[in-house]
Amino acid sequence: MLGFLLNSKECQEFEYLLKRELEEMLLDFSDKRIDYLVKRAMEERYATLFRMYARLASPNELSKYVRRKTLQQEHLK
């Protein structure tokens, strides 16, 4: 395990970066041009970033980034 200390400004910037990345990935999940295998890799990365964001965000903020469908359910359609 690795840890680091952030001051308030750095924490806000880190939170902003995570939110921005999560929003981009949510948009990419709905893009039909992206291959299923690529989306699976994205899903793993999304889970990691989501867990990182969960350490900083309130439950209300976190609920905005909860995935509604799993990737396999989308693939079956």
Side-chain angles (χ1 to χ4, degrees):
M1 178 177 266
L2 188 66
F4 54 93
L5 296 173
L6 301 173
N7 65 30
S8 178
K9 178 98 172 144
E10 292 168 337
C11 190
Q12 289 174 345
E13 186 66 28
F14 187 62
E15 184 176 354
Y16 170 77
L17 291 171
L18 288 172
K19 284 171 54 172
R20 190 167 161 206
E21 189 64 24
L22 290 171
E23 288 169 1
E24 280 291 320
M25 291 180 82
L26 285 174
L27 287 175
D28 289 343
F29 283 128
S30 63
D31 190 344
K32 302 291 185 203
R33 298 173 295 172
I34 298 176
D35 186 54
Y36 173 73
L37 293 174
V38 174
K39 285 187 179 182
R40 270 189 29 203
M42 287 170 48
E43 186 74 39
E44 292 175 17
R45 184 165 186 256
Y46 188 88
T48 301
L49 292 174
F50 183 81
R51 285 191 308 267
M52 291 169 64
Y53 184 59
R55 295 178 184 188
L56 302 171
S58 68
N60 190 29
E61 279 290 315
L62 195 60
S63 66
K64 297 176 186 177
Y65 301 100
V66 173
R67 295 264 296 141
R68 303 292 185 240
K69 294 181 182 178
T70 65
L71 189 57
Q72 290 179 353
Q73 288 174 340
E74 291 174 3
H75 183 64
L76 296 175
K77 288 185 178 181

